[in-house]
Amino acid sequence: MKLTDTTVKSIDRVGITRDETQSGFAVRVGSNGKKSYIFEAKIYGKSVRRVIGNADTLKCAEARQIAREVYVELRQGVDRFSMYRKKVDDEKLKKLAEATKLKAPTLFEIIDRYIERNDHLRPDTQRFYNGLKVELKPYHYIDVARLTSSMLEDMYIEISNRVSSIRATKAIKFLSTLCNFVEVPFPRIKFHMEKPKARMARLEPNHGKLIWEVCLQNPRRKDLAAVGLMMSTGMRIAEVRRLTTADVDLIEGHATLRETKNHRPHRVYLTDSCMKILRPHLNYLRKDDLVFPNVTGMNNVKSTYFGSLPKCGNHDLRKMFVITASTVGIDTGIIKNAINHAGNDITLAHYMHSTPAQLRRCFEYVTQFYESKRHAVV
C-alpha cells in the first residue's frame, strides 16, 4: 500500500504496514490503536528500526522525508535518535543532580577532599588528578552513589572521542578510587577498556643493596627509616604514614595495615634488621601515636643520600620489592599476597618487570645449555 494521510487513517489492523513506493518507510499500529511512522532497514548487515513520530500529529510527507534523511545518516554512521536519547538522559541526570545536590557531595568536592586527605602525594600526582578533573568536568554534578555500568560506558566512550582511550580508562579508574574513598559500591565494568602501558621499574635489586646500607647507617632519620620499611615490606607510602604504634608488634615481628587501598586488613612481617630500623622511632611514642607522620620518604632524602640512583620515587621501592622477591625465587602467588594485590594481572603487568641482569642471565643460561655436553639420542 502507498502510504498517504488518507490511507494511514484507514488502517486499523494491528501490526506494521509498509509503503510500496519507499523501502524502509512504514506505519505501525499498536495494540492500543496508536499509530506511528517508523523506519526499518538493514544497514551494513545490521537490522535497525527507528520510530519517526506519531501518525496522528505528523504529516505523511514529512515522515517520508525524515525516513530518507535517517537512512542517509545511518549509512554515514550518524544516529540522530541515539543523540536525542543521550540528550534526554543528560537532562534527567541534571535534574537528578539538582534534586540531590543538597544531600550528596559533587564529584569535584570528592576529588578535592581526596587530594586534601592524601597530602603526601607528589606534586606531579596532584597535577595528574587535577588534570582528570578536566576530563570529568561534564560529569561534575553526578552522584557517585548512583553510578551504573551503562553510565560508565557512556562516559568512557565520550571521553575517548573527546581526548583518548587511555585517558578515558584512567578517568574511570580514578572514579573507582573515589568510590572506595567515600565508601560507596562501584558498579561492575561490563565493557572493554584500553589498558595503559605499564611504567617500567626504575630500581633493580642491586640498587636495593645500596639503599639498605644507607638506611642501616642512619637509623634515626625518619625518612630513611620509612624508606627501609617500604623496601623491605612493599608497603605504600600512605600505609606507612597511617601506621601507629599499636599496629607494630616487635615481639611477634609483624605490622598490621588497617586502611589499605583495597580496604582489606593486611599484615607484613618484619625482619630483625627492619625492626632495628623501626625501634628508635617507637621508644618515646604513646599507644596509637603515628610512627611516621608527614614523612615523604625518597622525595626528601634522594638528593642527599642517593644522588647516584636513577630518578625514582616511593612507589619504585614497592616495585623493587616485587622484582627482588622474584629474583630470589619467590612464587608469584606469594608475592601477590605479600603486597596485598587483589589479582595476579596487576602484579604481573605493572610490577613484575624483567631487569637487564635477569634478561642477560636468561640468554646466558640458554647458551650454556647449547654448549653443554650432548647426550646420545635414544
Side-chain angles (χ1 to χ4, degrees):
M1 175 188 296
K2 181 178 180 180
L3 298 180
T4 62
D5 292 334
T6 304
T7 56
V8 168
K9 289 181 180 179
S10 64
I11 297 174
D12 54 5
R13 180 175 58 87
V14 174
I16 296 176
T17 303
R18 293 173 175 82
D19 183 66
E20 62 183 18
T21 61
Q22 181 175 332
S23 178
F25 182 52
V27 64
R28 181 177 62 188
V29 181
S31 57
N32 58 356
K34 182 179 178 180
K35 299 178 183 179
S36 303
Y37 290 113
I38 64 170
F39 169 78
E40 57 179 5
K42 185 168 285 191
I43 308 294
Y44 301 120
K46 182 179 179 180
S47 298
V48 296
R49 177 182 291 175
R50 299 291 184 266
V51 178
I52 297 175
N54 192 331
D56 295 330
T57 58
L58 186 65
K59 295 291 185 180
C60 184
E62 295 177 4
R64 190 185 298 276
Q65 180 60 30
I66 293 174
R68 294 193 187 99
E69 295 173 357
V70 168
Y71 176 72
V72 174
E73 291 173 355
L74 289 174
R75 294 278 297 181
Q76 296 175 350
V78 179
D79 188 352
R80 66 170 68 179
F81 297 95
S82 65
M83 295 167 62
Y84 172 76
R85 283 196 298 270
K86 185 178 185 305
K87 185 177 179 181
V88 172
D89 291 341
D90 289 344
E91 289 294 329
K92 289 181 179 178
L93 285 174
K94 189 174 181 180
K95 290 180 180 179
L96 179 63
E98 291 175 353
T100 59
K101 65 181 179 180
L102 297 178
K103 301 178 182 179
T106 65
L107 179 60
F108 278 15
E109 290 173 346
I110 296 175
I111 295 175
D112 292 337
R113 195 185 306 169
Y114 176 81
I115 295 176
E116 182 181 357
R117 168 74 182 277
N118 296 276
D119 56 353
H120 64 278
L121 296 172
R122 291 185 298 173
D124 289 345
T125 306
Q126 292 186 8
R127 280 194 293 270
F128 173 73
Y129 286 153
N130 284 316
L132 288 180
K133 287 177 66 174
V134 179
E135 323 303 346
L136 295 170
K137 187 175 182 180
Y139 312 99
H140 71 277
Y141 56 84
I142 65 172
D143 181 1
V144 295
R146 297 177 180 270
L147 280 175
T148 63
S149 180
S150 59
M151 290 170 60
L152 291 175
E153 184 173 6
D154 291 340
M155 291 169 62
Y156 177 80
I157 295 173
E158 192 274 329
I159 298 174
S160 298
N161 294 333
R162 178 161 44 92
V163 189
S164 67
S165 299
I166 295 296
R167 199 71 178 179
T169 299
K170 292 181 177 180
I172 298 299
K173 289 192 173 184
F174 187 42
L175 274 179
S176 173
T177 301
L178 295 176
C179 285
N180 289 334
F181 176 66
V182 295
E183 297 181 351
V184 299
F186 187 72
R188 182 180 178 184
I189 296 177
K190 301 178 181 179
F191 56 94
H192 173 74
M193 293 195 302
E194 187 172 347
K195 294 182 179 180
K197 185 178 180 181
R199 178 180 293 177
M200 293 301 293
R202 297 160 172 165
L203 298 177
E204 300 179 13
N206 286 334
H207 294 136
K209 294 181 180 179
L210 170 64
I211 300 172
W212 188 248
E213 182 179 355
V214 173
C215 292
L216 289 177
Q217 292 173 353
N218 302 271
R220 294 192 176 277
R221 273 295 301 260
K222 272 191 177 293
D223 282 301
L224 283 175
V227 167
L229 181 61
M230 284 187 285
M231 66 180 294
S232 62
T233 61
M235 291 172 61
R236 300 178 177 88
I237 182 64
E239 295 167 345
V240 171
R241 286 163 57 93
R242 288 194 288 263
L243 197 67
T244 66
T245 53
D247 296 329
V248 181
D249 189 340
L250 295 181
I251 298 176
E252 297 293 334
H254 61 69
T256 303
L257 313 181
R258 307 188 188 281
E259 294 185 48
T260 62
K261 188 174 181 180
N262 57 16
H263 300 278
R264 297 188 309 184
H266 180 57
R267 175 174 289 180
V268 296
Y269 293 90
L270 309 173
T271 62
D272 293 338
S273 53
C274 183
M275 289 190 286
K276 180 181 177 181
I277 293 175
L278 284 177
R279 198 167 274 113
H281 306 282
L282 296 170
N283 290 340
Y284 306 103
L285 295 178
R286 296 168 298 182
K287 186 180 180 181
D288 295 332
D289 281 354
L290 293 174
V291 182
F292 297 109
N294 305 319
V295 294
T296 56
M298 287 295 287
N299 300 333
N300 192 34
V301 298
K302 184 182 181 303
S303 59
T304 305
Y305 293 94
F306 309 114
S308 61
L309 292 180
K311 181 181 178 181
C312 59
N314 293 311
H315 207 71
D316 290 297
L317 298 173
R318 182 171 166 86
K319 288 190 176 183
M320 185 178 67
F321 174 85
V322 173
I323 295 173
T324 306
S326 174
T327 302
V328 298
I330 306 300
D331 183 73
T332 304
I334 297 176
I335 298 175
K336 182 201 75 170
N337 293 329
I339 61 175
N340 198 24
H341 269 170
N344 283 332
D345 53 340
I346 299 175
T347 309
L348 292 173
H350 293 272
Y351 288 78
M352 196 79 76
H353 301 299
S354 299
T355 66
Q358 289 173 322
L359 293 174
R360 180 178 294 276
R361 193 179 304 116
C362 172
F363 294 120
E364 288 177 351
Y365 283 2
V366 172
T367 305
Q368 289 173 8
F369 177 81
Y370 293 152
E371 294 175 348
S372 61
K373 187 177 180 180
R374 292 184 299 171
H375 297 280
V377 178
V378 179

